[in-house]
Amino acid sequence: MKQIIRALPSGAVVVADHWHILRDGEGEPVLPAGSQVLLPLPLWRRLRQDGVALDASAVGVWIGCDDEYEGLAGELLALPLIAVDFPAFRDGRGYSVAYLLRSRFGYRGELRAIGDVLRDQLFYMQRCGFDSFDVRADKDIDDALRGLTAYTIRYQGAVDDPVPLFRKRAEAAPDTADDGWAL
Amino acid sequence: MYRYDQYDLTLLEQRTAQFRDQVVRRLSGALSEEEFLPLRLQNGLYHQRHAYMLRVAIPYGTLSSAQLRVLAEIADRWDRGYGHFTTRQNIQFNWIRLEDAPDIMDRLAEAEMHAIQTSGNVVRNITTEHFAGVAADEVLDPRPLAEILRQWSTMNPEFTFLPRKFKIAISASTTDRAAVKAHDVGLYLYRDERGEPMLRVLVGGGLGRTPMLGVVIREALPWRHLTTYVEAVLRVYNRHGRRDNKYKARIKILVQSLGAEPFAAEVEREWALIKDSPATITQAEYRRVAAFFALPPYADQAGPDAADVAARQAGNPEFARWCRRNVHPHKVAGYASVTLSTKPGMAAPPGDVSSAQMRAVADWADQYGFGEVRVSHEQNLILPDVRRQDLHALWQAAEAHALATANIGLLTDVIACPGGDYCSLANARSIPVAQAIQARFQDLDYLHDLGGLTLNISGCVNACGHHHLGNIGILGVDKNGEEWYQVTLGGRQGAAAAIGKVIGRAFRAEEMPEVIERIVATFVAHRHGDEPFSDTVQRIGLAPFKERVYALAGEQP
Ligand code: HEM
Ligand code: SF4
C-alpha cells in the first residue's frame, strides 16, 4: 500500500493512502469500486460538462502548473482532496497555486503535493498550505518526515501562519503606541 | 548595524544544521547532484572551474569590523588567504572544499552572517548604496527597509523556486549609486511634498544576454506597503514567468511580453487583495529596525580640522589627489566617507582583498570610525565615518597596505568579474585584460584629468561585471575557441542609466590597451572643457570613436 505524509495538528505522520492519481494520457478511469481517484483538471471539467455524475467522496482533482483553475475555484472547494503537481521540484508554481487555493479561494479540504516532492521542499510546501505530501516513490518517506521539523522560526507570514515574526516580536516586547511618529 | 536577536540566531542555527545534513546526504548519495544543486546554491555554494566557491551575503553591503575579521579568518582557515568582493556587494571565496562548507557556515553564523540565498532562483541579497545612512545627498536611510525586506525574503516559502534569480535594490539619495535600474525590482525611496516616505517601484531591469532597464510600474507607494507590493510582483512573476527557457525566464521578459502597463495592472489587482494583510509594515517595526541604524555618536568637531586637511593637501599632491577621488562628503560636518580602492593594478585583481588587508581595514574602521565597513558594487571597501582630521593618518596607513590608489570613479577603477581564471561559464578571461589596461593608464595626473570614466569587464554575456553599464564596456566572446573582446560605449549607471552600444568587431586581448587608449584619445580630442566622458559620447555619438579605433588596422568597423 502506498504511503503519504499527512500533516495533522498534532504533528506529521506517515499514513497509508488509497488515492490513485490518473495521469494525463492514461485514458478514462476504470477503477474497481471503492477506490478513490484524482483526475486531471481538464478531464474533471469535461466529465462535468458532459453531465457525468461524480462521487464526491471518491473523486478529487489534481492541478497541473499550466491548468487554468481559477474560473472553477468555486466548484473545487467542495472536493475532499485537491492535489497540485510538481513536474520538477525546481518548478515553484505549485507554491503560489496552493497559496491562492487556501488564502484567496478558501479551500479547506486536503491539499496534497504530488509529483517531484522531496524532503527539503516540504517545509515550504506546508507553509503554503499543503497538508499532505506524496513523496517521490524512490525516497525514504520516514526520512522525508524530518523535512517538516527543520525550522521553528518563520520571518514572514504565509498560509500556515499569516502573522509575520515582527508582529510577534512586538507582542513579546510591547513598544509604545504605533502612532505619531514618522520616518 | 542590525543585530540579531534570539529569533534570528535560532533561524540561522536551524539553517546551518539543515545544510550540514544536506551535505552529509549528498556525500552519502542520498541526494543526487541534481537534487543537491538548488539546495547548495540557495546556500551560496557554486561549483566553479577549479573548486567550490562560497558566496557570503553582506546584506545591503554593510559589515562590522568584527565580521570583516571573521571573513579574514575564513580566508585563512579554509581558502587561500583572500576573498573577492563582488558587484552584488557580497564576498566570494574561491577555493572551498564541500566538506568544509558546513563549518564555514557555522563560523559565519557565530558572527551573525550567512550565505542564504546568495545564489539560486530566489530573491538574492538586497542591495543598496555604499554610503547609505551617511551620504550628504541622502533623503532617507534605505537600510531599515532593506533589512525588513531581507527578513521578508529570507526563506519566503512561496518564492524559493522562482523561474530565475531575482535581484532587488533600493536607493534613497538624489544620486543613484545602487544601479537600481538594472534590477528585477528597483526601488527609489523619497519624500513626497508632505514629507511622507514613498517608493517609486521599477520592474524588469537586468543585464545578462538581454540587457534591459527597469520601468516604473508604481509611483508614490507608501513605505508601509513595501513588502506586500513586492509580494504581489513576485506572485505574478512566479505564476506567469517563463520556465521553458532559462534565457527568457527573468521578469524583464515577462514585463516586456505583457507590456509594462498590463503588467502593472496585474500587480495592482493582486496587491489590492493583500495590501492590508498582516505583512503591512508597522511603524513600531520600522522604529525597532531603524534603531539599529541610528546615527553613531559623532563628535562635534566641525571647523579646525577642515583647515588642517586643506593644509596637508596643499603640501602633498598625492594626498590631495586621494582626497579628491576617494573621500566622499558626509552628512555630518567634520566627517567623511572614505573609499579604499581594491584596484591597485597588477598587484591584485579588482575586488580581491587579502586577509591581512581585511584585518587592517577592520582596525581602521575601529580606530577612525565606529567599527563599520561597507562594500560597494564597484568592488571597493568603504569606511563610512572617518573624522576629517584623521584622513591623513588613514591615507598613510592605507598606502602601506596598497589600498590607497587614488582612482575611485576613474578609468582604472575597473569593475571586472572573475572571468575565465575562475568561472566555468566564461568565454574569456577578465582579470588579465583589466590589469593590462590598468598598467597602460598608470599616470595618475592624466587619469585625474580624464575625470569620471567607468570601465566594466565581463567574461561572458551573463554580465556579472555590469559591462553594459560601463561608459566603456568590455565583453569576452568566444570565436572558434579563442578569446575575443567586444567593446561597448555609452553605458551609464545611476538615475540616467543607459546601456552601452557595441562599436564594431571584437579585439584580441593584446589589442585591448591600445583600443582603450584610442577611445580615450578620441574623447580628449572632442571634449568640451571638463565634460565627463559619458557626456561626450552622448554628444558626438559612436562614429568618431569607431573611426579612430579601427583606423590603425585599416579596417572597416
Ligand atoms: C561563480 C561565478 C559566477 C557565476 C557562475 C555567475 C553566473 C551568472 C549568470 C548565469 C548570470 C546571468 C543571469 C541571467 O541573465 O539570468 C549572472 C549575472 C550576474 N552576475 Fe554572476 N556569476 C558568477 C560570479 C559573479 C560575480 C563574481 C559577480 C560580481 C562581481 C556577479 C554578479 C552578477 C551580476 C551583476 C549579474 C548581472 C545581473 C543581471 O543580469 O541583472 N556574478 N551571473
Ligand atoms: S560574466 Fe560570465 S565569466 Fe564573468 S563571472 Fe559571470 S558568468 Fe562568469
Side-chain angles (χ1 to χ4, degrees):
Chain A
M1 177 56 63
K2 194 174 99 180
Q3 294 186 308
I4 59 149
I5 292 176
R6 201 59 175 108
L8 303 167
S10 52
V13 286
V14 174
V15 296
D17 183 66
H18 304 272
W19 288 88
H20 171 80
I21 305 169
L22 186 78
R23 285 287 174 183
D24 300 298
E26 285 181 24
E28 304 286 317
V30 194
L31 289 166
S35 68
Q36 297 168 298
V37 65
L38 281 169
L39 302 180
L41 184 72
L43 176 61
W44 181 76
R45 180 193 289 132
R46 209 181 69 223
L47 293 174
R48 285 170 59 92
Q49 277 164 0
D50 295 350
V52 177
L54 298 171
D55 176 356
S57 65
V59 175
V61 156
W62 67 265
I63 299 176
C65 284
D66 294 319
D67 288 343
E68 261 306 324
Y69 63 94
E70 284 168 67
L72 292 166
E75 295 155 73
L76 292 173
L77 299 188
L79 295 173
L81 173 62
I82 299 178
V84 177
D85 184 44
F86 287 80
F89 69 91
R90 284 192 240 182
D91 188 329
R93 283 176 286 187
Y95 297 93
S96 286
V97 174
Y99 167 87
L100 290 171
L101 283 173
R102 290 290 195 210
S103 300
R104 188 87 15 105
F105 303 116
Y107 178 63
R108 292 281 160 266
E110 182 178 339
L111 188 58
R112 180 176 299 183
I114 62 169
D116 202 4
V117 177
L118 300 175
R119 165 174 163 176
D120 295 288
Q121 282 74 36
L122 297 189
F123 170 70
Y124 300 121
M125 289 174 174
Q126 184 177 32
R127 295 219 62 203
C128 290
F130 289 105
D131 57 1
S132 75
F133 309 90
D134 188 351
V135 176
R136 211 172 75 195
D138 62 328
K139 294 289 179 185
D140 178 343
I141 194 160
D142 294 306
D143 175 67
L145 257 186
R146 293 196 245 164
L148 293 169
T149 51
Y151 292 97
T152 58
I153 306 285
R154 297 133 169 79
Y155 273 132
Q156 61 299 99
V159 174
D160 62 335
D161 182 354
V163 180
L165 179 62
F166 73 78
R167 291 188 187 264
K168 295 175 183 165
R169 277 177 166 138
E171 269 171 41
D175 201 346
T176 41
D178 182 20
D179 59 16
W181 187 85
L183 302 198
Chain B
M1 273 202 54
Y2 183 71
R3 294 303 311 263
Y4 285 5
D5 65 10
Q6 202 48 49
Y7 298 107
D8 305 284
L9 286 173
T10 307
L11 182 79
L12 256 205
E13 276 165 22
Q14 294 174 342
R15 177 76 173 201
T16 51
Q18 183 192 46
F19 180 66
R20 183 177 290 280
D21 187 54
Q22 287 164 344
V23 171
V24 168
R25 282 186 279 144
R26 172 68 198 114
L27 294 173
S28 78
L31 275 174
S32 70
E33 182 56 26
E34 194 211 345
E35 289 159 5
F36 182 56
L37 177 81
L39 305 178
R40 71 164 156 79
L41 289 181
Q42 286 170 15
N43 286 291
L45 202 61
Y46 271 90
H47 194 51
Q48 280 279 58
R49 185 168 288 251
H50 313 284
Y52 280 95
M53 178 205 95
L54 179 68
R55 183 181 288 160
V56 176
I58 301 177
Y60 32 91
T62 302
L63 277 172
S64 69
S65 53
Q67 290 174 326
L68 187 54
R69 288 191 188 96
V70 170
L71 295 175
E73 181 191 327
I74 289 170
D76 285 338
R77 276 173 75 180
W78 291 293
D79 203 284
R80 297 189 177 176
Y82 68 97
H84 177 76
F85 289 96
T86 79
T87 47
R88 297 293 311 154
Q89 297 182 309
N90 292 323
I91 184 169
Q92 296 183 173
F93 294 106
N94 282 303
W95 304 93
I96 297 297
R97 291 181 346 130
L98 176 60
E99 294 81 346
D100 292 333
D103 290 343
I104 302 175
M105 304 289 189
D106 283 345
R107 186 68 192 95
L108 287 171
E110 283 168 19
E112 301 182 12
M113 280 188 286
H114 62 76
I116 300 174
Q117 291 175 205
T118 51
S119 182
N121 296 334
V122 289
V123 178
R124 303 283 190 91
N125 190 33
I126 314 288
T127 56
T128 184
E129 71 145 303
H130 42 275
F131 298 130
V134 297
D137 68 339
E138 181 170 277
V139 184
L140 274 157
D141 185 347
R143 290 171 301 168
L145 287 182
E147 172 59 27
I148 286 170
L149 207 49
R150 180 190 78 84
Q151 297 190 15
W152 173 85
S153 64
T154 297
M155 297 181 61
N156 191 313
E158 192 181 342
F159 307 124
T160 306
F161 293 91
L162 293 168
R164 203 70 181 83
K165 59 159 84 174
F166 203 90
K167 299 180 177 180
I168 304 177
I170 175 166
S171 156
S173 294
T174 48
T175 311
D176 169 3
R177 286 174 288 261
V180 165
K181 291 187 171 169
H183 286 74
D184 297 275
V185 165
L187 300 158
Y188 288 114
L189 183 62
Y190 63 95
R191 285 185 191 277
D192 70 5
E193 51 306 330
R194 291 164 306 138
E196 267 296 299
M198 293 288 168
L199 291 156
R200 177 174 304 122
V201 183
L202 286 75
V203 175
L207 301 174
R209 73 179 61 213
T210 323
M212 288 187 203
L213 299 176
V215 290
V216 179
I217 63 157
R218 182 58 143 95
E219 288 282 354
L221 179 76
W223 64 274
R224 283 170 177 256
H225 298 300
L226 169 64
T227 44
T228 50
Y229 203 83
V230 173
E231 177 175 331
V233 171
L234 276 167
R235 185 162 300 126
V236 171
Y237 171 55
N238 193 35
R239 299 178 66 204
H240 303 297
R242 286 183 63 168
R243 282 181 156 88
D244 57 325
N245 179 342
K246 80 170 182 174
Y247 302 118
K248 297 196 166 154
R250 298 279 297 270
I251 198 172
K252 60 192 173 187
I253 306 292
L254 179 65
V255 174
Q256 191 194 40
S257 71
L258 289 178
E261 276 180 31
F263 177 85
E266 184 77 29
V267 170
E268 289 286 327
R269 258 197 306 282
E270 177 59 37
W271 181 61
L273 298 165
I274 55 171
K275 73 191 265 275
D276 295 315
S277 71
T280 308
I281 308 166
T282 59
Q283 287 208 339
E285 172 63 358
Y286 182 85
R287 189 168 28 188
R288 182 186 78 85
V289 176
F292 292 106
F293 302 98
L295 292 183
Y298 293 112
D300 178 20
Q301 55 186 343
D305 55 287
D308 177 57
V309 175
R312 283 174 192 275
Q313 289 193 25
N316 187 336
E318 285 176 37
F319 176 57
R321 211 155 45 198
W322 182 78
C323 287
R324 208 157 54 235
R325 290 312 315 186
N326 299 35
V327 173
H328 195 264
H330 198 284
K331 64 162 80 154
V332 176
Y335 285 85
S337 299
V338 169
T339 305
L340 299 165
S341 172
T342 70
K343 324 286 180 68
M346 294 314 278
D352 275 15
V353 177
S354 72
S355 56
Q357 287 177 317
M358 289 185 217
R359 289 195 186 92
V361 173
D363 291 347
W364 304 333
D366 290 336
Q367 193 178 346
Y368 302 116
F370 300 94
E372 202 181 321
V373 180
R374 308 289 182 81
V375 182
S376 71
H377 84 263
E378 288 90 354
Q379 303 174 284
N380 291 313
L381 295 179
I382 281 100
L383 297 176
D385 306 296
V386 178
R387 289 179 298 269
R388 286 194 165 267
Q389 62 186 15
D390 292 333
L391 284 173
H392 190 260
L394 172 61
W395 172 69
Q396 287 179 314
E399 279 269 288
H401 279 84
L403 289 167
T405 312
N407 63 351
I408 300 309
L410 303 179
L411 178 59
T412 56
D413 186 11
V414 175
I415 293 179
C417 78
D421 291 297
Y422 295 97
C423 182
S424 42
L425 305 177
N427 285 326
R429 282 169 295 170
S430 306
I431 295 167
V433 172
Q435 291 184 321
I437 295 167
Q438 287 170 323
R440 178 71 68 106
F441 290 88
Q442 270 178 341
D443 180 347
L444 273 171
D445 284 327
Y446 181 58
L447 270 185
H448 279 248
D449 288 345
L450 294 178
L453 201 181
T454 58
L455 176 71
N456 296 45
I457 307 182
S458 302
C460 78
V461 288
N462 286 322
C464 300
H466 279 181
H467 65 274
H468 304 103
L469 299 184
N471 298 161
I472 301 175
I474 299 177
L475 166 64
V477 289
D478 172 273
K479 277 205 234 169
N480 308 320
E482 285 181 58
E483 299 183 346
W484 287 78
Y485 297 87
Q486 193 180 64
V487 174
T488 54
L489 285 183
R492 286 184 197 229
Q493 57 163 311
I499 288 171
K501 294 194 189 70
V502 180
I503 63 164
R505 72 137 183 107
F507 306 93
R508 290 182 180 282
E510 319 78 82
E511 298 177 281
M512 287 312 294
E514 179 63 23
V515 167
I516 303 303
E517 193 154 308
R518 282 165 181 270
I519 290 171
V520 168
T522 314
F523 160 58
V524 170
H526 289 84
R527 183 186 201 184
H528 287 169
D530 278 345
E531 194 178 35
F533 180 88
S534 57
D535 288 1
T536 307
V537 175
Q538 198 168 37
R539 185 167 52 75
I540 66 175
L542 298 190
F545 293 95
K546 290 187 190 184
E547 221 166 89
R548 188 130 174 187
V549 167
Y550 293 101
L552 183 72
E555 293 178 38
Q556 294 303 313

